[in-house]
Amino acid sequence: MALNEAASRELNEEIEQAHQDDPPGRRMTITCECALKSCDRLIEITMAEYQDVRSDARQFAIVPEHFIGDIERIVFENDRFAVVAKRAGTPADVVTETDPRS
């Protein structure tokens, strides 16, 4: 599961780079960073919102219905997406080790 999340996060890092010059508050479309292997959902998020998510390697932006309580907790939620943080232990360790910003 963590490897699927890491792959989505890497793709979203590239999307973020492509939107660096966008005006503040403009939304970009990223892939859901959930643990579900078959997920193809998209999220509308601003650069500032995504940078807040990425400020902690354990956090991911997901569609709210993809929340998995056994491995993560909800940090923030709005009408477009939820931010989850991996629980301590293996889930948090794997995502921290695979974080491209580390």
Side-chain angles (χ1 to χ4, degrees):
M1 282 194 249
L3 295 177
N4 187 56
E5 294 162 326
S8 295
R9 182 165 57 189
E10 285 183 33
L11 176 61
N12 289 340
E13 289 281 318
E14 293 176 20
I15 293 168
E16 179 189 27
Q17 290 299 316
H19 289 273
Q20 286 294 322
D21 296 329
D22 285 1
R26 184 174 186 189
R27 292 181 185 170
M28 59 183 179
T29 303
I30 64 170
T31 62
C32 177
E33 298 176 331
C34 74
L36 304 174
K37 189 173 185 175
S38 63
C39 179
D40 62 356
R41 300 281 300 273
L42 301 174
I43 295 170
E44 294 288 320
I45 192 169
T46 67
M47 181 70 73
E49 289 169 331
Y50 191 64
Q51 289 173 346
D52 284 344
V53 172
R54 296 295 294 120
S55 68
D56 184 332
R58 297 169 298 159
Q59 293 185 164
F60 293 86
I62 66 168
V63 293
E65 55 270 18
H66 291 179
F67 169 68
I68 303 172
D70 292 345
I71 61 170
E72 58 200 10
R73 63 181 172 77
I74 294 179
V75 175
F76 171 81
E77 188 173 3
N78 65 24
D79 62 329
R80 293 175 282 124
F81 62 91
V83 176
V84 296
K86 296 303 164 202
R87 296 190 183 279
T90 301
D93 293 344
V94 171
V95 298
T96 300
E97 290 169 10
T98 60
D99 183 11
R101 294 188 184 191
S102 295

